[in-house]
Amino acid sequence: MGTTLDIKIKRANKVYHAGEMLSGVVVISGKDSVQHQGLSLMVEGTVNLQLSAKSVGVFEAFYNSVKYTLRCDMRRSLLAKDLTKTCEFIVHSTPQKGKWTPSPVDFTITPDTLQNVKERALLPKFLIRGHLNSTNCVITQPLTGELVVESSEAAIKSIELQLVRVETCGCAEGYARDATEIQNIQIADGDVCRGLSIPIYMVFPRLFTCPTLETTNFKVEFEVNIVVLLHPAHLITENFPLKLCRV
Amino acid sequence: MAAFPWHSRSRNYKAEFASCRLEAVPLEFGDYHPLKPITVTESKTKKVSRKGSTSSTSSSSSSSVVDPLSSVLDGTDPLSMFAASADPATLAAAMDNSRKKRDRDDNSIVGSDFEPWASKRGEILARYTTTEKLSINLFMGSEKGKAGNATSAMSEKVRTRLEELDDFEEGSQKELLNLTQQDYVNRIEELNQSLKDAWASDQKVKALKIVIQCSKLLSDTSVIQFYPSKFVLITDILDTFGKLVYERIFSMCVDHCSVLPDHFSPENVNDTAKETCLNWFFKIASIRELIPRFYVEASILKCNKFLSKTGISECLPRLTCMVRGIGDPLVSVYARAYLCRVGVEVAPHLKESLNKNFFDFLLTFKQIHGDTVQNQLVLQGVELPSYLPLYSPAMDWVFQCVSYHAPEALLTEMMERCKKLGNNALLLNSVMSAFRAEFIATRSMDFIGMIKECDESGFPKHLLFRSLGLNLALADPPESDRLQILSEAWKVITKLKNPQDYINCAEVWVEYTCKHFTKREVNTVLADVIKHMTPDRAFEDSYPQLQSIIKKVIAHFHDFSVLFSVEKFLPFLDMFQKESVRVEVCKCIMEVFIKHQQEPTKDPVILNALLHVCKTMHDSVNALTLEDEKRMLAYLINGFIKMVSFGRDFEQQLSFYVEARSMFCNLEPVLVQLIHSVNRLAMETRKVMKGNHSRKTAAFVRACVAYCFITIPSLVGIFTRLNLYLHSGQVALANQCLSQADAFFKAAISLVPEVPKMINIDGKMRPSESFLLEFLCNFFSTLLIVPDHPEHGVLFLVRELLNVIQDYTWEENSDEKIRIYTCVLHLLSAMSQETYLYHVDKVDSNDSLYGGDSKFLAENNKLCETVMAQILEHLKTLAKDEALKRQSSLGLSFFNSILAHGDLRNNRLNQLSVNLWHLAQRHGCVDTRAMVKTLEYIKKQSKQPDMGHLTELALRLPLQTRT
């Protein structure tokens, strides 16, 4: 092992907010004394825009392409290679001011509440009731609620929570909207007991969510779908827009 | 060297004995004596204890003796637990124990009376087996189709990212079909190993993947009979994982200088450890499927301790609710069992979640009879009565966790809730399995009523009665109900058609019957078992249960006369037709007999029965029987033989031994025991007759002697035979059977040449010489008092023995032969005394036969000379061989012999001893200290009367000084 370079950021979770000091140490470890011609530290913030494979002329997912890296370079003599070490860190937007208020939603799903059905008569009868404790969500807190299958003629295969990120990008020609599933959590597996409440619980994935963002040119929004799969092949989806914030 | 004549010193044994005897000092009460038993005196004030005394005068106020052995146990032993609760002083001592202390700090409510999961594990694995083919699918091929519709919106990149967690190894599909149960178990074990390997090689993500894939197998209910075992196997892996993660994070908290205490608080955990821990929880929270997400999170429940104080108490209720999402009732109840298992281990004080699991389970209980389950059963071809018992291990566990130390009110409530549900046999069974036995026992009649009301088609009734029986074996029902309980229960049990069901149930109830009732009821029960198990040789499939029944019966009937008067006991034994099992049962019976039979017996019922039992054991011995097994059997049979006594009816006793010999001829230790017993019988007879045999007793004693004489040759062990010949000869001599005694001794002499150089002792080959030397010395002591036969020459036995010793092929380079000759010299010296050292009562030894006849003494001396010549010859050869050390020590030993037995007033003998003294010192390899001691002894002896000549000898014995 020759000389190595390591960056150690003070905060274990590597999360910082605008205006904060990012501190830490650069650790150089080697067998004996190390000669160099300067050590430099550099912060880089990049937005990587990639053309979507699906729709021509649209960029794919903004969110995940924003990246902050800390880079440390050690310049050395001609004979020894320069050393580089990079370290990613995360910048959280400053917590929003103002009081967070919960906004509970009750829902009932029956064949009649469904839109977009071709042959309503062919659908088995069912009644699903439930509520979300709030569609205004604190990003660090899980999405919670309850769901009760009051009755269902067909056996239930699975009930899932689908978290979708919707990015809208507006420009002169109109706007492009791109929805991406970022997490899918099964909350019921198999033909669950009727009349028994099943918890709705989903932790927001740290790397794929951010506070809901709305600017003139683009928007990042989130939605959750409650997806019920019935035997033999029925798929019922109920959509709820969410508003994520950081407090 | 010329031949030296021998002159024995004449001895006055009485005077010698008196002079060297220690003075007897009477011991006063309370004085210290090493052999006095240790006494513990109970006193509040400290007694003045004797100085230097090791007898312990305990000053403790404790009323019980503190056994040093018990301090080794750490209080988990049920006996000491019992003792501890009875005795506050010991309790306090036990509490000092570090383990206890930790438990107490733990605020743990789970004590040693909580049956741990580990003890259930093996039972479940053994009980829930299958012959059907199993499969392991470690790739979610089919699952993908299911989620297919929903994934349309997913971008490729994100999808692969998410699925990484689901995949076991990138790009590898592992679907293993057609596995036998054993293959399956092996595969799971391999997965367990690869989990550990992955962890050890720092592949944490791979480890997590393995765990996820494994927990996924728990959502698969194909081959449903195997599900409980599958649960056991897979949760083992989860436990491993949970431990690995916890330990890893724990180790991150260790600073350079301090180690985290066992009971840390989250403030003491550093940020890196917290972040790592949080990472694990985030990763697990994003697992797509419900069942793996549940299991994996439950497995690392303990890690919540790193994050916050309330973490576990918040997490447990959430996980409990999460189980509601599991549709399949079987999968769901096992998930609850796992959660309770982890919960009890990590946070036993959080009773609420346990209770919630129980009541949630009751809410979903109706699902078991729902369409989805029924369809599945039809598809798999499984009947309800074999499906329902699959729930038992999980339900029993949940019920056990909830009912452990639960207040009576909760138990009653639980029971009432169970009662209300339809077809509650399954619940009833778990209530009986899990609740305190006392709770069940006091309500036995209620339970019997409830069991009767249960639906026939559902859960098998025999299992219910079995569970009830298990409780009654542990706790006693009210006295007034006892008989009614038995008759109600047995009414149902006896109607069971399937012999397996029947015997599983009957086995349990035998305990209750034996505990509370007399032999009449036990007899009835045994008769019923025989009746059920005999048709179609059903007993062949139920040996373990039948064995257990026998064990229970003999555990309660220690009085064998009562036991064998249970008419059906022996017919019951006849059901054990497979030899190995029969022998096992016989061994159990004999063990109990040996342990509990206090008095010798002659009860013909016991004797007949046990002879039969012993014969069965004996007859199982064949060429392939292991030595240990033979030893065990012989020990048991000997125990029986020793317990048989016909009192004063000696002839009956002898004929019993004759019968026993014919029965147990294949077990050498038994024959040896019989010979000893017969010898003892002869001596008993002598004692009764006070040494004066009548014609009748003389004939009887000769019969005993004859018994031994003809039995000994059938033994194999050469030293066994030799010693028994000698021993029996002594007995014959004591009983004035002179010619018989001669015959024994001659037989022994003629056997000596057959002694091999090496003999097998405990499986190792060892030289036999030391054993031979020991035997011969013993033999010589006896020969002293054996009178010469009038028709044979003087000392014919000694001569014959000397010839045999002469011809025996001794080990080269060994001095054993010479040592024996030295002993012969001692014998001959003793024989030349006017009155011998000891005698046998009523037998005239050579001293009185010859009365110091000069011819006899001359013969004796001639023999001595021959022997001495041999010794000296040997000493000479040692000089040649340069075996100087041996020569020196042998010379000194011969010197000592002459000193002790020879008459040193004889000049030549005197000269010889001086020569020997020099010889011993010549090459400087003698033990100088021994020489100094010897010289001191000579000087001391010289002061005795008639020993004055030793003073002069001492002057002629110089001590060589070491340079």
Side-chain angles (χ1 to χ4, degrees):
Chain A
M1 274 289 280
T3 314
T4 56
L5 213 55
D6 196 16
I7 303 176
K8 287 198 169 157
I9 303 182
K10 222 171 193 173
R11 282 190 198 165
N13 59 8
K14 299 179 183 172
V15 173
Y16 292 86
H17 300 97
E20 275 183 335
M21 167 88 82
L22 189 154
S23 62
V25 289
V26 171
V27 182
I28 302 163
S29 40
K31 272 192 215 130
D32 26 38
S33 58
V34 180
Q35 255 197 358
H36 64 94
Q37 281 135 18
L39 207 57
S40 60
L41 205 56
M42 191 159 68
V43 172
E44 224 169 35
T46 53
V47 180
N48 189 4
L49 296 179
Q50 216 175 1
L51 281 174
S52 170
K54 277 178 289 185
S55 42
V56 182
V58 176
F59 292 114
E60 200 165 64
F62 292 111
Y63 178 76
N64 209 33
S65 50
V66 181
K67 206 170 170 182
Y68 296 94
T69 45
L70 189 61
R71 187 169 131 177
C72 178
D73 287 301
M74 182 196 261
R75 298 212 308 131
R76 298 209 282 178
S77 62
L78 275 175
L79 291 171
K81 258 190 185 170
D82 289 356
L83 290 176
T84 307
K85 172 81 190 177
T86 55
C87 168
E88 195 177 346
F89 65 95
I90 298 155
V91 180
H92 278 174
S93 52
T94 20
Q96 277 121 332
K97 299 266 158 39
K99 225 180 133 207
W100 172 81
T101 43
S103 52
V105 185
D106 290 332
F107 60 87
T108 307
I109 314 173
T110 64
D112 302 326
T113 63
L114 297 179
Q115 303 156 357
N116 212 351
V117 186
K118 284 177 194 133
E119 297 249 23
R120 206 173 288 271
L122 290 180
L123 268 181
K125 291 204 168 48
F126 61 86
L127 168 61
I128 297 169
R129 249 199 279 269
H131 68 268
L132 292 177
N133 289 336
S134 173
T135 52
N136 268 343
C137 297
V138 178
I139 200 162
T140 52
Q141 300 293 316
L143 171 77
T144 54
E146 266 184 353
L147 178 147
V148 185
V149 180
E150 298 286 1
S151 66
S152 168
E153 274 181 0
I156 291 160
K157 248 201 232 171
S158 174
I159 302 176
E160 288 156 21
L161 298 176
Q162 188 185 32
L163 182 64
V164 178
R165 185 176 63 222
V166 184
E167 285 156 299
T168 319
C169 192
C171 53
E173 298 100 59
Y175 65 94
R177 195 181 130 95
D178 195 17
T180 318
E181 176 189 289
I182 51 174
Q183 180 162 279
N184 192 328
I185 292 286
Q186 192 186 30
I187 57 164
D189 182 13
D191 199 14
V192 290
C193 190
R194 306 292 186 263
L196 196 65
S197 68
I198 295 163
I200 292 174
Y201 184 91
M202 177 162 70
V203 176
F204 293 111
R206 284 193 293 187
L207 295 176
F208 297 97
T209 45
C210 62
T212 302
L213 186 70
E214 233 169 306
T215 65
T216 40
N217 282 332
F218 69 94
K219 288 196 280 189
V220 179
E221 291 162 312
F222 294 90
E223 291 172 358
V224 69
N225 290 323
I226 294 179
V227 183
V228 181
L229 290 149
L230 296 180
H231 266 287
H234 297 286
L235 182 120
I236 301 147
T237 309
E238 188 77 14
N239 181 277
F240 302 91
L242 299 178
K243 203 167 161 64
L244 300 192
C245 62
R246 212 179 277 285
V247 288
Chain B
M1 270 185 262
F4 284 90
W6 176 258
H7 293 277
S8 298
R9 184 161 74 88
S10 70
R11 314 270 296 261
N12 183 345
Y13 289 122
K14 266 190 190 162
E16 275 182 47
F17 182 58
S19 74
C20 62
R21 188 170 165 182
L22 288 172
E23 201 184 344
V25 183
L27 190 71
E28 265 180 51
F29 180 77
D31 274 355
Y32 164 65
H33 190 282
L35 297 182
K36 215 173 82 169
I38 292 174
T39 52
V40 177
T41 323
E42 192 185 330
S43 60
K44 292 260 179 195
T45 51
K46 194 173 166 78
K47 269 192 182 172
V48 184
S49 61
R50 222 161 294 274
K51 266 178 203 130
S53 150
T54 52
S55 84
S56 64
T57 307
S58 163
S59 59
S60 85
S61 60
S62 145
S63 58
S64 67
V65 184
V66 179
D67 176 6
L69 289 180
S70 66
S71 61
V72 179
L73 294 167
D74 59 359
T76 49
D77 167 42
L79 290 177
S80 54
M81 287 291 287
F82 182 71
S85 61
D87 182 349
T90 337
L91 184 71
M95 284 305 240
D96 283 343
N97 199 306
S98 67
R99 212 191 106 137
K100 272 263 153 110
K101 208 161 146 196
R102 187 150 33 102
D103 280 356
R104 208 172 32 189
D105 292 350
D106 231 353
N107 191 17
S108 152
I109 307 165
V110 175
S112 56
D113 53 340
F114 186 80
E115 194 187 352
W117 173 255
S119 70
K120 310 250 179 195
R121 237 189 123 254
E123 203 183 306
I124 296 172
L125 286 177
R127 192 166 151 201
Y128 298 95
T129 57
T130 181
T131 51
E132 279 182 50
K133 295 293 182 194
L134 302 155
S135 62
I136 297 181
N137 191 349
L138 294 176
F139 183 70
M140 26 182 313
S142 55
E143 306 281 325
K144 262 189 186 154
K146 195 158 123 187
N149 291 340
T151 53
S152 55
M154 216 195 268
S155 84
E156 288 300 318
K157 200 173 92 191
V158 176
R159 198 156 91 189
T160 36
R161 183 86 202 241
L162 281 171
E163 278 169 11
E164 254 175 36
L165 282 181
D166 291 339
D167 244 336
F168 179 53
E169 248 165 319
E170 265 76 6
S172 83
Q173 172 169 352
K174 293 205 176 183
E175 185 165 9
L176 301 153
L177 298 166
N178 282 329
L179 298 172
T180 64
Q181 185 181 325
Q182 190 53 47
D183 292 341
Y184 194 93
V185 173
N186 294 344
R187 284 293 306 159
I188 298 285
E189 186 38 50
E190 276 170 37
L191 282 172
N192 203 354
Q193 195 50 51
S194 49
L195 166 66
K196 286 180 196 160
D197 292 347
W199 191 270
S201 57
D202 217 38
Q203 294 172 280
K204 304 281 151 53
V205 177
K206 186 179 170 194
L208 180 61
K209 280 180 193 167
I210 294 174
V211 177
I212 294 172
Q213 294 299 329
C214 288
S215 356
K216 234 180 237 180
L217 297 175
L218 284 173
S219 57
D220 174 18
T221 51
S222 56
V223 194
I224 205 157
Q225 307 89 308
F226 186 63
Y227 193 84
S229 292
K230 181 157 79 175
F231 171 78
V232 168
L233 294 171
I234 288 170
T235 51
D236 279 352
I237 296 185
L238 287 164
D239 288 346
T240 310
F241 177 72
K243 223 176 100 200
L244 289 172
V245 174
Y246 183 83
E247 279 166 6
R248 159 104 181 108
I249 298 174
F250 190 82
S251 73
M252 292 172 83
C253 305
V254 180
D255 283 347
H256 301 292
C257 44
S258 69
V259 179
L260 211 55
D262 265 1
H263 300 284
F264 56 89
S265 67
E267 298 92 69
N268 303 338
V269 178
N270 65 34
D271 283 351
T272 326
K274 268 185 185 154
E275 190 58 27
T276 312
C277 187
L278 212 56
N279 247 327
W280 278 111
F281 282 111
F282 271 115
K283 250 184 207 133
I284 290 164
S286 70
I287 297 173
R288 206 189 79 81
E289 281 174 85
L290 175 67
I291 290 169
R293 192 169 69 244
F294 166 79
Y295 273 104
V296 179
E297 183 168 358
S299 76
I300 64 160
L301 182 70
K302 197 177 176 187
C303 293
N304 276 297
K305 277 165 63 177
F306 296 110
L307 296 178
S308 75
K309 269 194 169 137
T310 52
I312 293 175
S313 57
E314 282 160 14
C315 210
L316 260 179
R318 184 170 56 74
L319 287 171
T320 305
C321 282
M322 196 165 154
V323 180
R324 289 177 166 200
I326 301 177
D328 189 298
L330 188 69
V331 177
S332 138
V333 75
Y334 275 91
R336 292 191 190 282
Y338 184 66
L339 191 57
C340 288
R341 190 168 120 197
V342 177
V344 162
E345 195 187 309
V346 175
H349 52 283
L350 295 176
K351 288 259 170 196
E352 271 311 301
S353 292
L354 298 175
N355 298 353
K356 188 159 165 45
N357 266 306
F358 172 79
F359 291 114
D360 264 9
F361 168 71
L362 292 189
L363 289 176
T364 59
F365 185 71
K366 55 178 188 270
Q367 269 188 295
I368 294 176
H369 304 283
D371 288 344
T372 313
V373 171
Q374 297 303 326
N375 291 342
Q376 194 189 8
L377 293 186
V378 171
L379 211 63
Q380 292 202 28
V382 178
E383 299 282 330
L384 201 58
S386 47
Y387 172 69
L388 291 181
L390 298 178
Y391 284 82
S392 292
M395 281 171 60
D396 290 357
W397 180 257
V398 174
F399 282 40
Q400 184 191 328
C401 292
V402 176
S403 66
Y404 179 71
H405 284 192
E408 196 93 357
L410 177 63
L411 297 185
T412 321
E413 190 198 338
M414 286 168 75
M415 226 179 96
E416 290 306 316
R417 291 278 290 270
C418 291
K419 259 192 205 172
K420 275 184 207 145
L421 291 167
N423 200 348
N424 53 10
L426 180 58
L427 293 167
L428 209 54
N429 187 55
S430 287
V431 165
M432 287 191 287
S433 308
F435 283 19
R436 289 192 283 276
E438 295 78 18
F439 182 88
I440 308 294
T442 46
R443 294 164 179 74
S444 297
M445 287 310 292
D446 293 349
F447 275 98
I448 289 183
M450 285 187 276
I451 294 172
K452 279 184 176 167
E453 282 165 25
C454 285
D455 183 6
E456 278 291 344
S457 65
F459 194 81
K461 266 191 190 175
H462 63 92
L463 291 182
L464 291 171
F465 272 103
R466 189 184 138 87
S467 301
L468 181 60
L470 283 171
N471 281 297
L472 292 175
L474 293 173
D476 302 338
E479 187 107 36
S480 52
D481 289 350
R482 286 180 189 171
L483 186 60
Q484 205 190 345
I485 291 169
L486 180 64
S487 56
E488 289 287 344
W490 208 267
K491 239 188 263 169
V492 180
I493 296 170
T494 193
K495 278 188 200 131
L496 292 170
K497 293 265 161 29
N498 180 332
Q500 276 304 317
D501 297 347
Y502 171 82
I503 196 68
N504 282 331
C505 211
E507 177 207 343
V508 169
W509 280 84
V510 165
E511 173 93 32
Y512 174 72
T513 316
C514 291
K515 211 168 163 186
H516 299 296
F517 301 97
T518 63
K519 66 174 193 185
R520 216 194 84 202
E521 287 81 5
V522 174
N523 194 42
T524 316
V525 168
L526 291 184
D528 196 57
V529 174
I530 296 173
K531 202 177 94 195
H532 275 83
M533 300 312 286
T534 312
D536 301 327
R537 300 176 68 79
F539 51 77
E540 281 178 344
D541 302 323
S542 315
Y543 284 135
Q545 291 92 334
L546 293 173
Q547 247 175 304
S548 137
I549 291 182
I550 285 285
K551 276 186 193 158
K552 282 169 185 160
V553 172
I554 55 179
H556 283 91
F557 289 86
H558 293 159
D559 186 342
F560 273 64
S561 57
V562 177
L563 179 67
F564 287 121
S565 64
V566 175
E567 283 161 35
K568 291 295 178 186
F569 185 73
L570 288 177
F572 194 93
L573 289 187
D574 289 339
M575 283 199 290
F576 297 101
Q577 296 196 353
K578 189 177 166 196
E579 191 181 45
S580 59
V581 182
R582 197 167 61 219
V583 171
E584 275 311 306
V585 172
C586 289
K587 275 157 103 178
C588 288
I589 296 176
M590 289 317 296
E591 269 162 25
V592 173
F593 177 79
I594 290 171
K595 199 169 158 199
H596 294 290
Q597 185 72 22
Q598 308 282 341
E599 310 252 303
T601 178
K602 60 172 178 179
D603 183 334
V605 178
I606 296 182
L607 293 194
N608 268 331
L610 290 186
L611 268 179
H612 177 71
V613 167
C614 288
K615 176 103 177 101
T616 308
M617 294 198 297
H618 169 267
D619 291 352
S620 73
V621 173
N622 57 35
L624 296 175
T625 311
L626 296 173
E627 278 306 315
D628 286 345
E629 172 77 1
K630 279 197 214 163
R631 188 162 40 232
M632 186 67 203
L633 294 177
Y635 160 75
L636 293 171
I637 296 176
N638 283 346
F640 165 60
I641 290 172
K642 282 190 233 169
M643 271 300 169
V644 175
S645 166
F646 291 89
R648 292 291 281 267
D649 192 348
F650 289 163
E651 279 176 22
Q652 178 86 50
Q653 187 85 38
L654 184 61
S655 60
F656 169 76
Y657 291 142
V658 171
E659 195 188 348
R661 182 177 57 190
S662 66
M663 274 181 161
F664 307 126
C665 54
N666 285 334
L667 285 170
E668 186 152 325
V670 177
L671 292 180
V672 172
Q673 173 61 43
L674 284 170
I675 292 167
H676 282 305
S677 296
V678 170
N679 276 331
R680 218 194 65 165
L681 189 61
M683 294 310 280
E684 284 286 317
T685 316
R686 180 177 178 275
K687 200 168 131 197
V688 169
M689 300 307 287
K690 301 202 171 62
N692 298 311
H693 282 300
S694 68
R695 242 179 65 201
K696 198 176 156 205
T697 59
F700 175 73
V701 165
R702 278 199 290 276
C704 291
V705 171
Y707 179 101
C708 298
F709 194 73
I710 58 171
T711 310
I712 295 171
S714 62
L715 302 176
V716 178
I718 187 116
F719 281 102
T720 319
R721 268 186 286 163
L722 283 172
N723 286 319
L724 281 174
Y725 272 134
L726 178 58
H727 186 70
S728 305
Q730 288 165 345
V731 171
L733 203 60
N735 283 293
Q736 298 124 48
C737 304
L738 298 185
S739 55
Q740 283 84 351
D742 276 350
F744 276 118
F745 297 138
K746 271 192 221 161
I749 291 168
S750 58
L751 198 57
V752 170
E754 286 175 31
V755 174
K757 278 190 182 170
M758 304 292 272
I759 53 166
N760 188 336
I761 293 166
D762 294 337
K764 277 187 188 156
M765 295 307 284
R766 303 202 183 231
S768 63
E769 279 187 353
S770 57
F771 294 94
L772 188 56
L773 181 68
E774 184 188 311
F775 166 72
L776 288 173
C777 290
N778 200 351
F779 198 4
F780 294 148
S781 311
T782 308
L783 284 180
L784 173 65
I785 45 163
V786 179
D788 280 348
H789 193 281
E791 284 165 22
H792 296 90
V794 173
L795 299 178
F796 78 102
L797 283 174
V798 180
R799 279 167 198 279
E800 259 183 63
L801 187 53
L802 276 174
N803 285 337
V804 166
I805 294 166
Q806 176 74 32
D807 294 341
Y808 186 78
T809 36
W810 295 92
E811 195 79 48
E812 269 176 66
N813 297 324
S814 120
D815 302 326
E816 297 298 327
K817 186 174 167 186
I818 299 311
R819 290 192 197 284
I820 291 167
Y821 279 149
T822 320
C823 293
V824 173
L825 206 58
H826 301 169
L827 168 67
L828 292 171
S829 307
M831 274 185 160
S832 62
Q833 301 300 322
E834 220 175 284
T835 312
Y836 288 171
L837 180 54
Y838 44 83
H839 291 96
V840 177
D841 195 24
K842 303 221 160 34
V843 173
D844 287 331
S845 295
N846 286 342
D847 53 349
S848 35
L849 280 185
Y850 294 112
D853 180 58
S854 59
K855 247 166 117 187
F856 171 72
L857 290 180
E859 282 284 336
N860 193 320
N861 279 351
K862 232 167 80 191
L863 267 179
C864 291
E865 271 166 43
T866 323
V867 171
M868 271 169 76
Q870 292 276 338
I871 298 172
L872 293 173
E873 188 64 30
H874 185 76
L875 279 174
K876 252 199 276 179
T877 60
L878 286 183
K880 272 184 212 153
D881 295 348
E882 311 266 311
L884 297 172
K885 199 164 184 179
R886 276 161 61 202
Q887 189 193 42
S888 157
S889 80
L890 214 55
L892 183 63
S893 115
F894 189 31
F895 172 85
N896 282 332
S897 293
I898 296 175
L899 187 65
H901 298 281
D903 186 355
L904 286 168
R905 279 172 300 199
N906 179 285
N907 282 339
R908 294 186 67 186
L909 213 50
N910 199 310
Q911 184 55 46
L912 175 64
S913 63
V914 174
N915 290 349
L916 284 169
W917 181 267
H918 284 288
L919 178 72
Q921 292 196 98
R922 185 176 299 158
H923 300 288
C925 35
V926 76
D927 179 2
T928 320
R929 256 190 299 172
M931 301 293 273
V932 172
K933 282 255 163 92
T934 313
L935 204 57
E936 273 170 17
Y937 171 76
I938 296 171
K939 284 176 185 161
K940 195 178 144 205
Q941 281 299 100
S942 64
K943 295 195 180 96
Q944 302 273 335
D946 296 335
M947 290 296 209
H949 57 283
L950 289 183
T951 325
E952 192 196 332
L953 176 69
L955 292 174
R956 296 174 62 196
L957 302 178
L959 268 179
Q960 206 170 48
T961 44
R962 281 268 165 87
T963 45

